[in-house]
Amino acid sequence: DQQVKQNSPSLSVQEGRISILNCDYTNSMFDYFLWYKKYPAEGPTFLISISSIKDKNEDGRFTVFLNKSAKHLSLHIVPSQPGDSAVYFCAASELFSSGSEKLVFGKGTKLTVNP
Amino acid sequence: EAGVTQFPSHSVIEKGQTVTLRCDPISGHDNLYWYRRVMGKEIKFLLHFVKESKQDESGMPNNRFLAERTGGTYSTLKVQPAELEDSGVYFCASSRDRENTEAFFGQGTRLTVV
């Protein structure tokens, strides 16, 4: 039972264009969402996050949009650069009353930005 | 500031053997997490330490996996005996507190059980 879904395993865009990576979730208890970028042989690195009380968060070329009613979030990269080529993981966080927190990851989308 | 470090980076062992993975979190980070990514699948949560205490170990697959965090510093994840399906990349992450939810990940340990 996948709680966080990234339905596109790969995406290819031209340098300078917009990259849009999508993520859907099923658990309405998630209250924080994160995007991680992963290069080969490295661990995921944090990219950008958004709280469930917001619908948009922007950081330079990266913008994350959250649509709570649709349980959908997306990551926009504008303009895309070849160095953005990596696997992007969507993650959702749920905080439990015990104080523990769990991150649930999607399977990832491999982005290729062509020069 | 040193990042999260994991050792070894790669490990190839035979089925039935024991392997111990180590994670050194960022200094001062009370929260330490273990995750596993099996080939082609999502990164799955294994367990969460707050200092030396196991806060949540609901993701541990079975009792062949044992995690410890001595003195609230580094953590080890032991697999004994290893099975073929244990192969994957094991990531460790740490974060300071919940208000700083952005966890920092290590480079991962690629475990191959043959």
Side-chain angles (χ1 to χ4, degrees):
Chain A
D1 178 29
Q2 264 189 281
Q3 297 186 62
V4 178
K5 299 179 183 179
Q6 293 178 256
N7 292 318
S8 297
S10 63
L11 174 68
S12 184
V13 300
Q14 208 63 29
E15 181 178 6
R17 299 288 185 96
I18 183 173
S19 296
I20 301 177
L21 297 98
N22 293 302
C23 178
D24 297 289
Y25 62 96
T26 57
N27 187 347
S28 58
M29 297 305 292
F30 289 140
D31 65 342
Y32 203 81
F33 303 89
L34 309 94
W35 283 94
Y36 285 84
K37 181 167 75 171
K38 184 184 179 303
Y39 293 115
E42 294 183 11
T45 56
F46 169 74
L47 189 59
I48 192 170
S49 63
I50 187 168
S51 166
S52 60
I53 62 174
K54 294 186 174 181
D55 54 19
K56 177 183 175 181
N57 187 26
E58 190 173 352
D59 183 4
R61 296 185 297 112
F62 303 90
T63 303
V64 56
F65 295 92
L66 175 63
N67 182 335
K68 283 186 65 180
S69 60
K71 293 190 175 66
H72 176 84
L73 66 155
S74 60
L75 174 67
H76 292 212
I77 306 174
V78 182
S80 301
Q81 299 174 353
D84 297 329
S85 298
V87 178
Y88 289 78
F89 291 96
C90 169
S93 168
E94 181 180 0
L95 181 65
F96 297 93
S97 56
S98 62
S100 70
E101 180 197 4
K102 189 179 299 184
L103 272 180
V104 181
F105 288 82
K107 288 187 178 182
T109 296
K110 183 177 182 180
L111 173 67
T112 302
V113 180
N114 300 303
Chain B
E1 177 181 75
V4 177
T5 55
Q6 291 185 246
F7 181 84
S9 57
H10 294 84
S11 180
V12 180
I13 61 172
E14 292 184 350
K15 176 182 171 181
Q17 289 186 318
T18 297
V19 63
T20 301
L21 314 181
R22 172 169 170 146
C23 169
D24 286 79
I26 293 173
S27 177
H29 282 194
D30 288 341
N31 295 275
L32 187 150
Y33 308 83
W34 282 98
Y35 297 89
R36 176 173 74 170
R37 185 172 193 220
V38 175
M39 181 68 71
K41 297 189 177 180
E42 66 272 21
I43 299 173
K44 282 200 170 182
F45 168 84
L46 295 179
L47 87 160
H48 172 206
F49 283 101
V50 177
K51 297 184 180 179
E52 67 275 9
S53 300
K54 291 177 186 175
Q55 191 76 13
D56 181 355
E57 54 183 331
S58 61
M60 295 288 263
N62 50 62
N63 60 9
R64 295 185 293 103
F65 289 74
L66 175 64
E68 294 180 325
R69 190 179 183 191
T70 307
T73 55
Y74 70 90
S75 174
T76 58
L77 179 64
K78 180 190 288 187
V79 185
Q80 179 183 31
E83 297 289 343
L84 299 179
E85 65 264 26
D86 301 333
S87 296
V89 181
Y90 289 77
F91 291 104
C92 173
S94 73
S95 67
R96 189 176 301 278
D97 51 44
R98 215 278 163 161
E99 283 66 42
N100 184 23
T101 307
E102 294 82 5
F104 296 85
F105 282 78
Q107 83 283 7
T109 294
R110 180 172 294 280
L111 174 64
T112 303
V113 183
V114 297

